């Protein structure tokens, strides 16, 4: 294997000089970041600093927003996702996303999971296996195996969120983006999701936005601190929470902000 | 600021450690004076202070556990909390060793077997180390901490010189063995206190730089 190829396989996502504007307002300022394969990267920072905007750039969710203009490059496995030959639907299959509020479709648990694979042309006879596998990986099989036909909306909030994770896993992405996935959940459900995220990194690369610093400290390998559209500091989580190099990072994580 | 109470608690913790340091300095100096002058009443006053040291150590520990359990300190705050716990344990040992020193006058019948010149020098260096390791903690001065720890070498040299001298004296005159042994213990305690000062300096370097170092 050549060195170049090895590098690509270590850095799953490479962001180079990314700038983003909503109309006149610049929301991301010259962000560069390398995200390693099979790691959990947490993004922290005060509300409105651009965390959600940033992760939406990683699967082109900002394409759907009017007046949004992007400069710079985002390479996933070495390929520029803003390149002309990239299909956004394929991209989002590879780069799944889980949101703050669990958003199951108003259909059965089974159909929620089968939905994506069906769209992507999965064989009907494989579906049962895919659904079971996804529910197991998202640690919700035990709770749902005897009621797969029940409406997904009958699940508790924490279960719904794990269902949404299972739905994301069902289309076999390589990267999963989480935008504050536990901020609407109780502490037990939160711990379950955290456990799950730590287990998922064996098979996936994970980027998570969280406003809970202890959560970032507990579950991530790398942490990036955003402030007013800039990536102020990015490094190993141990180091960021033990000995940050930037004053504003220190002030933010110790609560001395503003 | 958002976490006013938390910052007050951190500040109070730091002050507690500095008070503990002042108490340890006082106890150490008085224990040394009580030995040099064989002043039994000063020795007894000094021994009575151990209980104050226990109280302070207990307060520091309780405050550290509260902060860890309830506030989740991070970054330099975390390093401060961890350092104070370690420094407080070292200070408690300094107090314990000073208590051993203050027990010597009561056992010393018939005066010293020799003038305590090198031992006095040792005690002065140790007092300097204790005072300045705490100053380094107060002002978060890693450079001062390293300088203070560097003086441990002088203490070790004096320890060895006095040790040899006392052994030779005992070999020549066995009637002084009991009193000379007290001095052997004394210099051993001094040497140990200097080591604890070095530990404090290491904690200060860790607090300031986040790096673990060995300074003696
Ligand atoms: N769709 C949008 N249109 C215009 N401005 C937006 C839009 N989404 C976010 N913003 C602005 O961009 C900035 C960053 O927002 P966001 O990425 O949501 O921050 P965070 O996730 O860190 O709270 C904020 O000032 C926000 O108001
Ligand atoms: Mg957001």
């Amino acid at each position: 294997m050549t060195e170049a190829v090895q590098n690509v396989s270590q850095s799953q996502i490479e962001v180079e000089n990314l700038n983003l504007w909503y109309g006149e307002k610049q929301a991301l300022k010259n962000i560069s970041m390398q995200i390693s394969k099979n790691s959990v990267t947490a993004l922290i920072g005060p509300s409105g600093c651009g965390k959600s905007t940033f992760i939406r750039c990683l699967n082109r969710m900002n394409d759907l927003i009017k007046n949004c203009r992007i400069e710079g490059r985002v390479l996933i496995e070495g390929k520029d996702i803003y390149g002309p030959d990239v299909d956004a639907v394929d991209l989002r299959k590879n780069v799944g996303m889980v949101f703050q509020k669990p958003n199951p479709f108003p259909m059965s648990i089974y159909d929620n999971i089968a939905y994506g694979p069906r769209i992507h042309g999965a064989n009907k006879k494989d579906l049962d296996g895919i659904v079971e596998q996804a529910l197991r990986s998202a640690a919700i099989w035990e709770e749902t195996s005897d009621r797969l036909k029940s409406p997904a909306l009958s699940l508790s909030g924490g279960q719904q969120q794990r269902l949404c994770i299972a739905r994301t896993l069902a289309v076999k992405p390589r990267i999963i983006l989480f935008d504050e996935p536990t901020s609407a959940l109780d502490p037990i459900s939160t711990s379950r999701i955290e456990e799950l995220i730590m287990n998922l990194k064996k098979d996936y690369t994970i980027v998570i936005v969280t406003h809970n610093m202890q959560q970032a400290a507990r579950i991530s390998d790398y942490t990036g601190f955003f402030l007013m559209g800039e990536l102020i500091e990015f490094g190993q989580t141990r180091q960021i929470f033990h000995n940050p190099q930037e004053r504003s990072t220190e002030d933010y994580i110790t609560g001395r902000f503003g | 600021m958002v976490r006013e109470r938390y910052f007050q608690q951190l500040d109070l913790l730091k002050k507690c450690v500095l008070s503990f340091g002042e108490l340890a300095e006082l106890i150490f100096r008085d224990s040394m004076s009580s030995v040099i002058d064989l002043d039994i009443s000063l020795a007894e006053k000094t021994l009575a202070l151990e209980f104050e040291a226990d109280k302070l150590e207990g307060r520091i520990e309780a405050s550290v556990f509260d902060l860890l359990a309830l506030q989740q300190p991070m970054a330099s705050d975390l390093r401060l909390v961890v350092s104070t716990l370690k420094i407080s344990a070292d200070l408690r040992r300094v107090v314990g060793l000073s208590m051993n020193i203050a027990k010597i006058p009561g056992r010393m019948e018939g005066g010293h077997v020799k003038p305590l010149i090198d031992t006095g020098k040792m005690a002065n260096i140790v007092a300097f180390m204790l005072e300045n390791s705490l100053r380094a903690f107060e002002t978060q001065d890693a450079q001062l901490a390293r300088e203070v720890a560097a003086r441990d070498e002088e203490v070790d040299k004096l320890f060895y010189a006095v040790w040899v001298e006392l052994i030779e004296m005992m070999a020549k005159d066995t009637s002084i063995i009991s009193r000379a042994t007290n001095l052997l213990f004394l210099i051993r305690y001094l040497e140990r206190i200097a080591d604890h000062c070095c530990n404090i300096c290491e904690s200060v370097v860790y607090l300031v730089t986040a790096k673990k170092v060995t300074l003696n």
Side-chain angles (χ1 to χ4, degrees):
Chain A
M1 205 187 264
T2 66
E3 250 178 55
V5 173
Q6 275 174 0
N7 274 340
V8 167
S9 69
Q10 275 162 13
S11 262
Q12 180 109 344
I13 308 174
E14 290 166 274
V15 178
E16 293 172 0
N17 305 316
L18 185 70
N19 287 281
L20 182 146
W21 291 262
Y22 292 117
E24 291 296 295
K25 187 181 179 300
Q26 186 164 7
L28 293 177
K29 296 174 189 161
N30 218 35
I31 312 280
S32 294
M33 186 192 270
Q34 307 235 341
I35 294 174
S36 320
K37 197 169 175 166
N38 297 112
S39 65
V40 177
T41 298
L43 306 179
I44 59 170
S47 284
C49 67
K51 306 177 296 290
S52 297
T53 299
F54 177 78
I55 60 166
R56 284 200 303 260
C57 289
L58 304 182
N59 69 350
R60 290 184 51 175
M61 293 282 278
N62 290 316
D63 288 12
L64 315 171
I65 296 171
K66 263 202 320 219
N67 283 333
C68 175
R69 184 162 63 85
I70 296 175
E71 277 176 13
R73 300 210 302 167
V74 177
L75 308 180
I76 290 185
E77 287 159 1
K79 188 169 179 193
D80 187 351
I81 63 168
Y82 287 93
D85 55 340
V86 173
D87 178 80
V89 176
D90 274 353
L91 172 69
R92 289 182 204 128
K93 174 177 175 301
N94 255 325
V95 187
M97 191 153 185
V98 176
F99 300 89
Q100 172 174 357
K101 237 179 126 243
N103 54 350
F105 304 135
M107 46 178 88
S108 72
I109 292 170
Y110 185 98
D111 286 337
N112 261 273
I113 309 298
Y115 186 86
R118 274 186 190 126
I119 286 184
H120 292 288
N123 228 314
K124 206 170 165 161
K125 65 174 175 32
D126 297 334
L127 275 179
D128 286 0
I130 292 173
V131 169
E132 174 171 345
Q133 175 62 40
L135 289 169
R136 280 189 188 281
S137 301
I140 192 179
W141 174 249
E142 309 286 318
E143 291 146 84
T144 54
S145 59
D146 59 351
R147 51 165 169 155
L148 293 173
K149 298 290 167 210
S150 318
L153 292 166
S154 67
L155 296 169
S156 74
Q159 289 172 328
Q160 287 185 16
Q161 192 62 308
R162 276 178 285 140
L163 180 77
C164 291
I165 295 173
R167 190 175 66 192
T168 306
L169 298 179
V171 296
K172 307 231 167 301
R174 287 205 282 279
I175 297 167
I176 309 175
L177 311 174
F178 289 88
D179 195 349
E180 302 192 14
T182 63
S183 48
L185 303 182
D186 63 88
I188 306 259
S189 305
T190 297
S191 306
R192 285 226 173 88
I193 304 267
E194 289 183 4
E195 240 353 87
L196 176 56
I197 289 174
M198 286 185 277
N199 289 332
L200 288 175
K201 81 171 174 188
K202 284 198 306 289
D203 304 309
Y204 307 88
T205 300
I206 290 166
V207 184
I208 173 170
V209 168
T210 173
H211 62 228
N212 178 336
M213 269 176 299
Q214 267 72 39
Q215 178 167 76
R218 279 193 296 268
I219 70 174
S220 70
D221 304 296
Y222 299 92
T223 297
F225 170 58
F226 279 77
L227 185 60
M228 298 197 297
E230 285 182 75
L231 177 63
I232 302 291
E233 188 166 352
F234 180 59
Q236 290 195 351
T237 297
R238 264 202 101 256
Q239 187 248 312
I240 298 280
F241 286 98
H242 188 212
N243 185 27
Q245 300 302 300
E246 297 295 327
R247 186 60 207 236
S248 54
T249 314
E250 170 99 26
D251 286 349
Y252 181 69
I253 63 178
T254 58
R256 282 175 178 75
F257 222 71
Chain B
M1 290 226 240
V2 250
R3 301 177 73 188
E4 211 56 65
R5 265 184 56 81
Y6 165 61
F7 301 136
Q8 280 168 7
Q9 272 175 293
L10 285 175
D11 218 43
L12 198 64
L13 176 62
K14 202 173 158 183
K15 288 203 178 104
C16 264
V17 172
L18 289 169
S19 308
F20 195 7
E22 276 169 28
L23 179 66
E25 275 183 64
L26 174 81
I27 289 175
F28 170 66
R29 283 178 199 276
D30 284 355
S31 71
M32 267 322 289
S33 303
S34 78
V35 172
I36 288 172
D37 304 335
L38 293 179
D39 179 342
I40 292 186
S41 102
L42 180 59
E44 277 167 359
K45 270 190 220 145
T46 306
L47 290 169
L49 289 175
E50 186 168 25
F51 143 87
E52 293 291 336
D54 284 337
K55 268 204 318 209
L56 265 175
E57 190 195 23
R59 264 180 66 186
I60 290 167
E61 272 187 22
S63 162
V64 165
F65 293 140
D66 273 359
L67 277 159
L68 287 174
L70 308 177
Q71 299 285 1
Q72 291 92 37
M74 295 269 200
S76 60
D77 294 346
L78 177 62
R79 303 202 302 273
L80 175 72
V81 171
V82 171
S83 308
T84 55
L85 189 62
K86 295 191 70 178
I87 291 173
S88 145
D90 281 309
L91 288 173
R92 186 62 189 85
R93 288 304 303 138
V94 168
V95 168
L97 290 159
S98 301
M99 291 297 142
N100 293 345
I101 293 175
K103 284 173 193 155
I104 294 176
R107 297 198 301 257
M108 203 60 135
E109 269 163 45
H112 291 301
V113 296
K114 69 183 210 71
L116 299 184
I117 296 176
D118 281 348
T119 309
K121 273 191 209 157
M122 264 179 100
N124 284 339
I125 300 171
V126 173
F128 171 90
M129 290 174 75
L130 185 55
E131 183 186 333
N132 284 281
S133 60
L134 288 159
R135 173 125 56 88
F137 169 70
E138 183 175 14
T139 58
Q140 307 224 346
D141 186 342
Q143 179 56 32
L144 177 60
R146 288 175 192 279
E147 283 165 22
V148 169
R151 300 206 62 183
D152 189 49
E153 209 174 311
E154 295 166 57
V155 175
D156 287 347
K157 279 196 185 124
L158 285 165
F159 169 74
Y160 188 68
V162 178
W163 178 273
V164 169
E165 189 189 354
L166 285 168
I167 300 288
E168 281 170 358
M169 286 173 70
M170 287 191 277
K172 282 194 199 117
D173 178 359
T174 52
S175 74
I176 64 165
I177 285 182
S178 159
R179 286 179 296 150
T181 305
N182 280 324
L183 292 187
L184 283 178
F185 276 114
L186 173 62
I187 57 172
R188 170 55 82 192
Y189 300 144
L190 284 170
E191 187 267 333
R192 293 296 303 144
I193 292 174
D195 288 345
H196 287 289
C197 294
C198 288
N199 293 348
I200 294 174
C201 292
E202 288 173 4
S203 296
V204 172
V205 173
Y206 166 73
L207 168 63
V208 180
T209 67
K211 290 195 180 69
K212 292 297 296 172
V213 291
T214 309
L215 294 179
N216 65 348

Short mmCIF file of all heavy atoms in Angstrom, two decimals, chain A residues 51-52 179-180 209, ligand 2:
data_model
loop_
_atom_site.label_atom_id
_atom_site.label_comp_id
_atom_site.label_asym_id
_atom_site.label_seq_id
_atom_site.Cartn_x
_atom_site.Cartn_y
_atom_site.Cartn_z
N LYS A 51 -21.50 24.92 15.42
CA LYS A 51 -21.27 23.46 15.48
C LYS A 51 -22.20 22.71 14.54
O LYS A 51 -21.74 21.86 13.77
CB LYS A 51 -21.49 22.95 16.92
CG LYS A 51 -20.68 23.66 17.98
CD LYS A 51 -20.99 23.14 19.38
CE LYS A 51 -22.43 23.38 19.85
NZ LYS A 51 -22.76 24.78 20.12
N SER A 52 -23.49 23.03 14.61
CA SER A 52 -24.44 22.31 13.75
C SER A 52 -24.18 22.64 12.29
O SER A 52 -24.20 21.75 11.43
CB SER A 52 -25.88 22.71 14.10
OG SER A 52 -26.18 22.32 15.41
N ASP A 179 -26.07 15.29 16.27
CA ASP A 179 -26.20 16.68 16.69
C ASP A 179 -26.98 16.74 18.00
O ASP A 179 -28.19 16.64 18.02
CB ASP A 179 -26.90 17.52 15.61
CG ASP A 179 -26.72 19.02 15.85
OD1 ASP A 179 -26.25 19.39 16.95
OD2 ASP A 179 -27.06 19.81 14.95
N GLU A 180 -26.26 16.89 19.10
CA GLU A 180 -26.85 16.91 20.44
C GLU A 180 -27.86 15.77 20.64
O GLU A 180 -29.02 16.02 20.98
CB GLU A 180 -27.51 18.26 20.72
CG GLU A 180 -26.52 19.40 20.59
CD GLU A 180 -27.06 20.71 21.14
OE1 GLU A 180 -28.09 20.69 21.84
OE2 GLU A 180 -26.44 21.75 20.89
N VAL A 209 -21.89 16.58 18.10
CA VAL A 209 -22.00 17.92 18.68
C VAL A 209 -22.68 17.74 20.03
O VAL A 209 -23.68 17.05 20.13
CB VAL A 209 -22.88 18.83 17.80
CG1 VAL A 209 -23.24 20.11 18.53
CG2 VAL A 209 -22.17 19.13 16.48
MG1 LIG C 2 -26.66 23.33 17.13
#
